[in-house]
Amino acid sequence: MNSAPATSDSHPPAPIWRRLMAMLYDSLLCIALVFVVTAVYTGLHKLLINIGLFSDRYATIAEPGGSIGYDPVLTLVLAGSLWLFFGFFWRRAGQTLGMQTWRIRVENADGSVVSWSQALLRIVAGVLSWATFGLGWLWQWLDPQHRSWTDRLSGSRTVQLPKRNKKQ
């Protein structure tokens, strides 16, 4: 699906507390994703060592009690996994599971879903926002359109959705 139904400008910007609660919810999912991806990666890594496709240097790292070194491939795999996680949800409907719970959505000005490159820019801006002790999120209080760094850098916006009417 390339775009969500277009929305009007009537949706207000999502308040910071809703964004933070959605981030908390999604961080739990991301932690689980990182554990699963690391376990699969480690299992494949060990398998490749056992069949002789990796050198002794990698075998030493993988041994119990062996020196734990930095693995740039694992770092790239984890970063890619998180980009795919957020990109999948943002491209599908503009919402991660946490965002659905807190009724917020990421969208372009015309209401369409963000692109893969916008998803990557949002992630980079999110990392920068946290690296500056949350300044990127607090920025929305200074911005006339209440956009955070993630919104501004990616050219998108985060809006609050209305409550759905329950059908009886």
Side-chain angles (χ1 to χ4, degrees), residues 53-66:
L53 292 179
F54 277 174
S55 69
D56 291 335
R57 176 187 170 300
Y58 289 105
T60 303
I61 292 171
E63 286 177 7

Side-chain angles (χ1 to χ4, degrees), residues 30-115:
C30 288
I31 290 168
L33 176 65
V34 165
F35 282 150
V36 169
V37 170
T38 301
V40 169
Y41 176 87
T42 304
L44 288 173
H45 194 251
K46 203 165 206 177
L47 176 68
L48 293 174
I49 290 169
N50 288 339
I51 61 175
L53 292 179
F54 277 174
S55 69
D56 291 335
R57 176 187 170 300
Y58 289 105
T60 303
I61 292 171
E63 286 177 7
S67 65
I68 297 182
Y70 171 70
D71 188 345
V73 176
L74 176 59
T75 301
L76 289 174
V77 167
L78 291 174
S81 298
L82 292 171
W83 176 50
L84 290 173
F85 170 82
F86 285 105
F88 171 78
F89 284 107
W90 289 338
R91 294 272 307 139
R92 189 173 130 262
Q95 297 176 290
T96 60
L97 296 174
M99 295 170 84
Q100 289 174 27
T101 302
W102 291 97
R103 295 187 341 266
I104 62 176
R105 179 174 60 215
V106 170
E107 62 185 21
N108 288 311
D110 65 357
S112 63
V113 296
V114 297
S115 67

Side-chain angles (χ1 to χ4, degrees), residues 108-145:
N108 288 311
D110 65 357
S112 63
V113 296
V114 297
S115 67
W116 283 102
S117 59
Q118 285 176 297
L120 181 60
L121 289 172
R122 289 188 67 83
I123 292 168
V124 169
V127 169
L128 291 173
S129 294
W130 286 117
T132 57
F133 304 102
L135 182 60
W137 308 114
L138 298 174
W139 188 263
Q140 78 179 85
W141 286 334
L142 302 174
D143 188 272
Q145 296 174 330

